Amino acid sequence: MLPAYMANPTAVVFGGGTPIDLGKNWKDGRRIFGDGKTFRGLIGGTICGVITGLIQMQVTPLHNLGTFTYISIFTLSFGALLGDMTKSFFKRRLGYERGAKFPIVDQLDFVAGAWILTYAFDPVWFSDNFLAEPWIMVTVVFFTPLLHRLTNIIGYYARLKKEPW
Ligand code: CTP
Ligand code: MG
């Protein structure tokens, strides 16, 4: 999960500049994704997640842990941010402003995105590392909201984030 866990907060660090929706509105007159989803965040976060995975790929065999594939490194990182973006799309459709609190969904969007994209493009790796280890999935779903809250509180006080959630 580490590539996904790195991609999400580094998108906040590198984010800013041109929004992915180029400032355009959806048919309902609200923004497609909003100013909180930018190219810099998407690309910067993906690169940081991929670097994390590549480092893990080098060190995990030494510890006899599961190994990564190049595909899974990319899909965990990019998928995390795709999940976060998809969440923003639906948030806007429901009328939530950028940055509005959306409990549980704000915290698990990136896990869902990372898993779905990885399952779609590297089903064998996903089955071996997640489906075959259901307790890992349960642990991730249970602890991610806590970890996410903690990270965002730190991000808020470090003045990287506008809201502590
Ligand atoms: N960010 C970014 N690009 C991304 C994801 C995040 O630039 N693809 C940056 C933005 O500066 C954003 C911040 O990270 O404001 C926090 O991300 P998040 O909480 O996901 O976005 P919100 O601003 O809360 O917007 P939304 O309501 O759409 O979730
Ligand atoms: Mg937010």
Side-chain angles (χ1 to χ4, degrees):
M1 281 311 284
L2 215 47
Y5 282 153
M6 283 302 289
N8 212 40
T10 50
V12 181
V13 176
F14 291 104
T18 312
I20 294 166
D21 65 11
L22 303 172
K24 290 192 169 63
N25 288 343
W26 188 250
K27 293 168 235 165
D28 56 11
R30 293 179 184 276
R31 289 286 295 277
I32 302 174
F33 301 116
D35 284 331
K37 306 297 120 156
T38 67
F39 286 109
R40 261 169 41 195
L42 182 66
I43 296 165
T46 301
I47 291 173
C48 288
V50 167
I51 291 172
T52 304
L54 292 174
I55 294 171
Q56 283 184 275
M57 213 177 190
Q58 302 309 310
V59 303
T60 44
L62 306 175
H63 299 283
N64 219 4
L65 294 167
T67 43
F68 272 113
T69 57
Y70 288 112
I71 297 176
S72 62
I73 288 174
F74 179 77
T75 54
L76 286 173
S77 308
F78 189 66
L81 298 172
L82 218 56
D84 172 60
M85 238 169 84
T86 307
K87 181 268 323 255
S88 292
F89 176 80
F90 288 108
K91 250 173 122 173
R92 299 299 90 80
R93 304 290 72 76
L94 291 169
Y96 286 90
E97 295 300 330
R98 173 228 176 144
K101 208 178 196 164
F102 198 163
I104 310 294
V105 178
D106 270 332
Q107 282 118 47
L108 289 175
D109 53 6
F110 77 100
V111 171
W115 282 352
I116 291 169
L117 205 69
T118 304
Y119 181 64
F121 287 95
D122 202 344
V124 173
W125 187 88
F126 188 78
S127 299
D128 287 350
N129 290 278
F130 286 109
L131 296 181
E133 313 278 358
W135 59 272
I136 292 185
M137 296 185 83
V138 172
T139 308
V140 168
V141 169
F142 187 80
F143 282 104
T144 300
L146 301 172
L147 213 60
H148 188 276
R149 265 303 269 160
L150 193 70
T151 312
N152 282 311
I153 290 169
I154 295 168
Y156 176 74
Y157 285 108
R159 295 173 194 275
L160 289 167
K161 262 197 122 252
K162 290 197 177 76
E163 305 88 12
W165 52 78

Short mmCIF file of all heavy atoms in Angstrom, two decimals, residues 63-106:
data_model
loop_
_atom_site.label_atom_id
_atom_site.label_comp_id
_atom_site.label_asym_id
_atom_site.label_seq_id
_atom_site.Cartn_x
_atom_site.Cartn_y
_atom_site.Cartn_z
N HIS A 63 14.13 -8.85 2.67
CA HIS A 63 13.37 -9.15 3.89
C HIS A 63 12.37 -10.26 3.67
O HIS A 63 11.52 -10.52 4.50
CB HIS A 63 12.66 -7.89 4.38
CG HIS A 63 13.60 -6.79 4.72
ND1 HIS A 63 14.32 -6.77 5.87
CD2 HIS A 63 13.96 -5.69 4.02
CE1 HIS A 63 15.10 -5.69 5.89
NE2 HIS A 63 14.90 -5.02 4.77
N ASN A 64 12.44 -10.89 2.48
CA ASN A 64 11.55 -11.99 2.18
C ASN A 64 10.08 -11.59 2.17
O ASN A 64 9.20 -12.38 2.48
CB ASN A 64 11.78 -13.12 3.19
CG ASN A 64 11.71 -14.47 2.50
OD1 ASN A 64 11.57 -14.55 1.28
ND2 ASN A 64 11.81 -15.53 3.28
N LEU A 65 9.81 -10.34 1.84
CA LEU A 65 8.42 -9.89 1.73
C LEU A 65 8.00 -10.04 0.28
O LEU A 65 8.80 -10.35 -0.59
CB LEU A 65 8.31 -8.42 2.17
CG LEU A 65 8.61 -8.14 3.63
CD1 LEU A 65 8.76 -6.66 3.87
CD2 LEU A 65 7.50 -8.70 4.51
N GLY A 66 6.72 -9.80 0.02
CA GLY A 66 6.23 -9.89 -1.35
C GLY A 66 6.92 -8.88 -2.24
O GLY A 66 7.35 -7.82 -1.79
N THR A 67 7.06 -9.22 -3.52
CA THR A 67 7.71 -8.28 -4.43
C THR A 67 6.65 -7.55 -5.25
O THR A 67 5.53 -8.01 -5.41
CB THR A 67 8.67 -9.00 -5.38
OG1 THR A 67 8.05 -10.19 -5.82
CG2 THR A 67 9.98 -9.31 -4.67
N PHE A 68 7.06 -6.43 -5.78
CA PHE A 68 6.18 -5.64 -6.63
C PHE A 68 6.35 -6.01 -8.09
O PHE A 68 7.31 -6.67 -8.46
CB PHE A 68 6.55 -4.15 -6.50
CG PHE A 68 5.85 -3.45 -5.38
CD1 PHE A 68 6.55 -2.99 -4.28
CD2 PHE A 68 4.48 -3.23 -5.43
CE1 PHE A 68 5.92 -2.34 -3.25
CE2 PHE A 68 3.84 -2.58 -4.40
CZ PHE A 68 4.55 -2.13 -3.31
N THR A 69 5.41 -5.54 -8.90
CA THR A 69 5.58 -5.57 -10.35
C THR A 69 5.59 -4.11 -10.76
O THR A 69 5.08 -3.25 -10.02
CB THR A 69 4.38 -6.28 -11.03
OG1 THR A 69 3.18 -5.60 -10.64
CG2 THR A 69 4.30 -7.74 -10.62
N TYR A 70 6.15 -3.81 -11.93
CA TYR A 70 6.16 -2.42 -12.38
C TYR A 70 4.74 -1.91 -12.56
O TYR A 70 4.44 -0.75 -12.27
CB TYR A 70 6.96 -2.28 -13.68
CG TYR A 70 8.44 -2.41 -13.47
CD1 TYR A 70 9.14 -3.50 -13.97
CD2 TYR A 70 9.15 -1.45 -12.73
CE1 TYR A 70 10.51 -3.64 -13.76
CE2 TYR A 70 10.51 -1.58 -12.51
CZ TYR A 70 11.18 -2.68 -13.02
OH TYR A 70 12.52 -2.81 -12.79
N ILE A 71 3.86 -2.79 -13.02
CA ILE A 71 2.46 -2.38 -13.23
C ILE A 71 1.82 -2.01 -11.90
O ILE A 71 1.21 -0.94 -11.76
CB ILE A 71 1.64 -3.50 -13.93
CG1 ILE A 71 2.21 -3.77 -15.33
CG2 ILE A 71 0.16 -3.11 -14.02
CD1 ILE A 71 1.52 -4.93 -16.05
N SER A 72 1.99 -2.87 -10.89
CA SER A 72 1.32 -2.61 -9.62
C SER A 72 1.86 -1.34 -8.94
O SER A 72 1.10 -0.61 -8.30
CB SER A 72 1.43 -3.81 -8.68
OG SER A 72 2.78 -4.10 -8.37
N ILE A 73 3.14 -1.06 -9.13
CA ILE A 73 3.70 0.17 -8.56
C ILE A 73 2.98 1.38 -9.16
O ILE A 73 2.59 2.30 -8.45
CB ILE A 73 5.22 0.27 -8.84
CG1 ILE A 73 5.97 -0.75 -7.98
CG2 ILE A 73 5.74 1.67 -8.57
CD1 ILE A 73 7.46 -0.82 -8.29
N PHE A 74 2.80 1.32 -10.48
CA PHE A 74 2.14 2.45 -11.14
C PHE A 74 0.66 2.52 -10.81
O PHE A 74 0.14 3.59 -10.47
CB PHE A 74 2.34 2.37 -12.67
CG PHE A 74 1.66 3.48 -13.39
CD1 PHE A 74 2.23 4.76 -13.40
CD2 PHE A 74 0.43 3.29 -14.03
CE1 PHE A 74 1.58 5.82 -14.05
CE2 PHE A 74 -0.21 4.35 -14.67
CZ PHE A 74 0.37 5.61 -14.68
N THR A 75 -0.03 1.38 -10.85
CA THR A 75 -1.48 1.41 -10.62
C THR A 75 -1.83 1.77 -9.17
O THR A 75 -2.84 2.41 -8.94
CB THR A 75 -2.16 0.08 -11.01
OG1 THR A 75 -1.52 -0.99 -10.31
CG2 THR A 75 -2.09 -0.15 -12.51
N LEU A 76 -0.98 1.38 -8.22
CA LEU A 76 -1.26 1.76 -6.83
C LEU A 76 -1.12 3.27 -6.65
O LEU A 76 -1.92 3.91 -5.96
CB LEU A 76 -0.32 1.03 -5.86
CG LEU A 76 -0.59 -0.45 -5.61
CD1 LEU A 76 0.53 -1.06 -4.78
CD2 LEU A 76 -1.94 -0.66 -4.92
N SER A 77 -0.12 3.88 -7.31
CA SER A 77 0.14 5.31 -7.18
C SER A 77 -0.88 6.13 -7.96
O SER A 77 -1.55 7.01 -7.40
CB SER A 77 1.54 5.65 -7.72
OG SER A 77 2.51 4.81 -7.14
N PHE A 78 -0.99 5.84 -9.24
CA PHE A 78 -1.89 6.60 -10.09
C PHE A 78 -3.34 6.32 -9.72
O PHE A 78 -4.17 7.24 -9.69
CB PHE A 78 -1.63 6.22 -11.56
CG PHE A 78 -2.33 7.09 -12.55
CD1 PHE A 78 -2.00 8.43 -12.68
CD2 PHE A 78 -3.33 6.57 -13.37
CE1 PHE A 78 -2.65 9.25 -13.60
CE2 PHE A 78 -3.98 7.37 -14.30
CZ PHE A 78 -3.65 8.72 -14.41
N GLY A 79 -3.64 5.06 -9.39
CA GLY A 79 -4.99 4.68 -9.00
C GLY A 79 -5.46 5.43 -7.76
O GLY A 79 -6.62 5.83 -7.65
N ALA A 80 -4.54 5.65 -6.81
CA ALA A 80 -4.88 6.38 -5.59
C ALA A 80 -5.39 7.78 -5.95
O ALA A 80 -6.42 8.23 -5.44
CB ALA A 80 -3.66 6.49 -4.68
N LEU A 81 -4.69 8.44 -6.86
CA LEU A 81 -5.07 9.81 -7.22
C LEU A 81 -6.28 9.84 -8.14
O LEU A 81 -7.07 10.79 -8.11
CB LEU A 81 -3.87 10.53 -7.84
CG LEU A 81 -2.71 10.63 -6.83
CD1 LEU A 81 -1.47 11.16 -7.50
CD2 LEU A 81 -3.11 11.52 -5.65
N LEU A 82 -6.44 8.78 -8.93
CA LEU A 82 -7.63 8.66 -9.77
C LEU A 82 -8.86 8.48 -8.89
O LEU A 82 -9.93 9.04 -9.15
CB LEU A 82 -7.45 7.44 -10.69
CG LEU A 82 -7.96 7.53 -12.12
CD1 LEU A 82 -7.35 8.70 -12.85
CD2 LEU A 82 -7.63 6.23 -12.86
N GLY A 83 -8.71 7.70 -7.82
CA GLY A 83 -9.80 7.49 -6.86
C GLY A 83 -10.17 8.80 -6.18
O GLY A 83 -11.35 9.12 -6.01
N ASP A 84 -9.15 9.56 -5.82
CA ASP A 84 -9.35 10.85 -5.16
C ASP A 84 -10.07 11.83 -6.09
O ASP A 84 -10.95 12.59 -5.68
CB ASP A 84 -7.96 11.37 -4.75
CG ASP A 84 -7.98 12.79 -4.23
OD1 ASP A 84 -8.66 13.03 -3.23
OD2 ASP A 84 -7.28 13.64 -4.82
N MET A 85 -9.72 11.76 -7.38
CA MET A 85 -10.34 12.63 -8.37
C MET A 85 -11.80 12.25 -8.64
O MET A 85 -12.66 13.10 -8.78
CB MET A 85 -9.56 12.48 -9.69
CG MET A 85 -9.00 13.74 -10.22
SD MET A 85 -7.85 13.38 -11.55
CE MET A 85 -8.97 13.23 -12.92
N THR A 86 -12.03 10.93 -8.69
CA THR A 86 -13.38 10.42 -8.90
C THR A 86 -14.27 10.86 -7.74
O THR A 86 -15.42 11.29 -7.93
CB THR A 86 -13.36 8.88 -8.99
OG1 THR A 86 -12.39 8.51 -9.98
CG2 THR A 86 -14.71 8.32 -9.35
N LYS A 87 -13.71 10.80 -6.54
CA LYS A 87 -14.43 11.28 -5.35
C LYS A 87 -14.82 12.74 -5.52
O LYS A 87 -15.95 13.12 -5.26
CB LYS A 87 -13.56 11.05 -4.12
CG LYS A 87 -14.12 11.45 -2.79
CD LYS A 87 -13.79 12.89 -2.31
CE LYS A 87 -12.44 13.44 -2.62
NZ LYS A 87 -11.53 13.47 -1.48
N SER A 88 -13.87 13.57 -5.97
CA SER A 88 -14.15 15.00 -6.15
C SER A 88 -15.24 15.22 -7.18
O SER A 88 -16.09 16.10 -7.02
CB SER A 88 -12.89 15.74 -6.59
OG SER A 88 -11.95 15.74 -5.53
N PHE A 89 -15.23 14.40 -8.24
CA PHE A 89 -16.27 14.52 -9.26
C PHE A 89 -17.65 14.32 -8.63
O PHE A 89 -18.55 15.15 -8.81
CB PHE A 89 -16.04 13.48 -10.37
CG PHE A 89 -17.11 13.46 -11.42
CD1 PHE A 89 -17.13 14.40 -12.43
CD2 PHE A 89 -18.14 12.51 -11.38
CE1 PHE A 89 -18.13 14.40 -13.40
CE2 PHE A 89 -19.15 12.50 -12.33
CZ PHE A 89 -19.15 13.45 -13.34
N PHE A 90 -17.79 13.27 -7.84
CA PHE A 90 -19.09 13.01 -7.22
C PHE A 90 -19.42 14.01 -6.11
O PHE A 90 -20.59 14.35 -5.90
CB PHE A 90 -19.17 11.56 -6.73
CG PHE A 90 -19.30 10.59 -7.87
CD1 PHE A 90 -18.25 9.76 -8.24
CD2 PHE A 90 -20.47 10.55 -8.64
CE1 PHE A 90 -18.36 8.89 -9.32
CE2 PHE A 90 -20.60 9.69 -9.73
CZ PHE A 90 -19.54 8.86 -10.07
N LYS A 91 -18.38 14.50 -5.43
CA LYS A 91 -18.62 15.53 -4.41
C LYS A 91 -19.24 16.77 -5.06
O LYS A 91 -20.22 17.32 -4.55
CB LYS A 91 -17.27 15.92 -3.78
CG LYS A 91 -17.08 15.48 -2.33
CD LYS A 91 -15.68 15.76 -1.87
CE LYS A 91 -15.65 16.67 -0.65
NZ LYS A 91 -14.25 16.78 -0.12
N ARG A 92 -18.67 17.18 -6.20
CA ARG A 92 -19.19 18.36 -6.91
C ARG A 92 -20.63 18.12 -7.36
O ARG A 92 -21.48 18.99 -7.28
CB ARG A 92 -18.32 18.72 -8.11
CG ARG A 92 -16.85 19.07 -7.85
CD ARG A 92 -16.65 20.29 -6.98
NE ARG A 92 -16.59 19.96 -5.56
CZ ARG A 92 -15.51 19.47 -4.95
NH1 ARG A 92 -14.39 19.27 -5.61
NH2 ARG A 92 -15.54 19.21 -3.67
N ARG A 93 -20.91 16.89 -7.86
CA ARG A 93 -22.26 16.58 -8.33
C ARG A 93 -23.27 16.63 -7.17
O ARG A 93 -24.43 16.95 -7.37
CB ARG A 93 -22.33 15.18 -8.98
CG ARG A 93 -21.36 14.94 -10.13
CD ARG A 93 -21.67 15.72 -11.40
NE ARG A 93 -21.41 17.15 -11.36
CZ ARG A 93 -20.20 17.74 -11.44
NH1 ARG A 93 -19.11 17.02 -11.47
NH2 ARG A 93 -20.09 19.05 -11.44
N LEU A 94 -22.80 16.30 -5.98
CA LEU A 94 -23.69 16.34 -4.81
C LEU A 94 -23.77 17.74 -4.21
O LEU A 94 -24.47 17.96 -3.23
CB LEU A 94 -23.18 15.35 -3.74
CG LEU A 94 -23.30 13.87 -4.09
CD1 LEU A 94 -22.52 13.00 -3.10
CD2 LEU A 94 -24.77 13.44 -4.12
N GLY A 95 -23.02 18.69 -4.81
CA GLY A 95 -23.10 20.06 -4.35
C GLY A 95 -22.12 20.44 -3.25
O GLY A 95 -22.20 21.55 -2.72
N TYR A 96 -21.20 19.54 -2.91
CA TYR A 96 -20.18 19.87 -1.90
C TYR A 96 -19.14 20.80 -2.53
O TYR A 96 -18.65 20.53 -3.62
CB TYR A 96 -19.43 18.62 -1.44
CG TYR A 96 -20.20 17.70 -0.52
CD1 TYR A 96 -20.97 16.67 -1.03
CD2 TYR A 96 -20.08 17.83 0.86
CE1 TYR A 96 -21.64 15.79 -0.19
CE2 TYR A 96 -20.74 16.96 1.71
CZ TYR A 96 -21.52 15.94 1.18
OH TYR A 96 -22.16 15.07 2.02
N GLU A 97 -18.79 21.87 -1.84
CA GLU A 97 -17.75 22.76 -2.32
C GLU A 97 -16.39 22.08 -2.16
O GLU A 97 -16.24 21.16 -1.36
CB GLU A 97 -17.75 24.08 -1.52
CG GLU A 97 -19.01 24.92 -1.70
CD GLU A 97 -19.26 25.35 -3.14
OE1 GLU A 97 -18.28 25.52 -3.90
OE2 GLU A 97 -20.44 25.50 -3.51
N ARG A 98 -15.40 22.60 -2.90
CA ARG A 98 -14.03 22.10 -2.76
C ARG A 98 -13.59 22.21 -1.30
O ARG A 98 -13.77 23.25 -0.69
CB ARG A 98 -13.10 22.92 -3.64
CG ARG A 98 -11.65 22.57 -3.43
CD ARG A 98 -10.82 23.80 -3.25
NE ARG A 98 -9.44 23.42 -2.97
CZ ARG A 98 -8.39 24.10 -3.40
NH1 ARG A 98 -8.57 25.15 -4.15
NH2 ARG A 98 -7.20 23.71 -3.06
N GLY A 99 -13.05 21.11 -0.79
CA GLY A 99 -12.54 21.10 0.57
C GLY A 99 -13.58 20.75 1.62
O GLY A 99 -13.24 20.54 2.78
N ALA A 100 -14.86 20.66 1.20
CA ALA A 100 -15.91 20.31 2.18
C ALA A 100 -15.64 18.91 2.72
O ALA A 100 -15.06 18.06 2.04
CB ALA A 100 -17.28 20.34 1.51
N LYS A 101 -16.07 18.69 3.97
CA LYS A 101 -15.82 17.42 4.64
C LYS A 101 -16.78 16.35 4.12
O LYS A 101 -17.98 16.59 4.01
CB LYS A 101 -16.08 17.64 6.14
CG LYS A 101 -15.31 16.77 7.06
CD LYS A 101 -15.63 17.15 8.49
CE LYS A 101 -14.62 16.60 9.47
NZ LYS A 101 -14.73 17.28 10.76
N PHE A 102 -16.24 15.19 3.80
CA PHE A 102 -17.06 14.07 3.33
C PHE A 102 -16.51 12.83 4.03
O PHE A 102 -15.69 12.11 3.49
CB PHE A 102 -16.96 13.95 1.81
CG PHE A 102 -18.06 13.15 1.17
CD1 PHE A 102 -18.29 13.24 -0.21
CD2 PHE A 102 -18.88 12.30 1.90
CE1 PHE A 102 -19.29 12.51 -0.83
CE2 PHE A 102 -19.89 11.57 1.30
CZ PHE A 102 -20.09 11.67 -0.07
N PRO A 103 -16.98 12.61 5.29
CA PRO A 103 -16.37 11.56 6.11
C PRO A 103 -16.37 10.18 5.45
O PRO A 103 -17.26 9.87 4.67
CB PRO A 103 -17.24 11.55 7.37
CG PRO A 103 -17.94 12.86 7.39
CD PRO A 103 -18.10 13.27 5.95
N ILE A 104 -15.39 9.40 5.78
CA ILE A 104 -15.14 8.05 5.27
C ILE A 104 -14.76 8.09 3.78
O ILE A 104 -13.74 7.53 3.40
CB ILE A 104 -16.34 7.07 5.53
CG1 ILE A 104 -16.78 7.11 7.00
CG2 ILE A 104 -15.96 5.64 5.11
CD1 ILE A 104 -15.77 6.60 8.01
N VAL A 105 -15.58 8.75 2.96
CA VAL A 105 -15.29 8.79 1.52
C VAL A 105 -13.96 9.51 1.27
O VAL A 105 -13.12 9.03 0.52
CB VAL A 105 -16.45 9.49 0.76
CG1 VAL A 105 -16.14 9.58 -0.72
CG2 VAL A 105 -17.75 8.74 1.00
N ASP A 106 -13.75 10.67 1.93
CA ASP A 106 -12.49 11.41 1.81
C ASP A 106 -11.29 10.55 2.22
O ASP A 106 -10.18 10.78 1.77
CB ASP A 106 -12.51 12.65 2.72
CG ASP A 106 -13.07 13.88 2.00
OD1 ASP A 106 -12.95 13.96 0.77
OD2 ASP A 106 -13.60 14.77 2.70
#
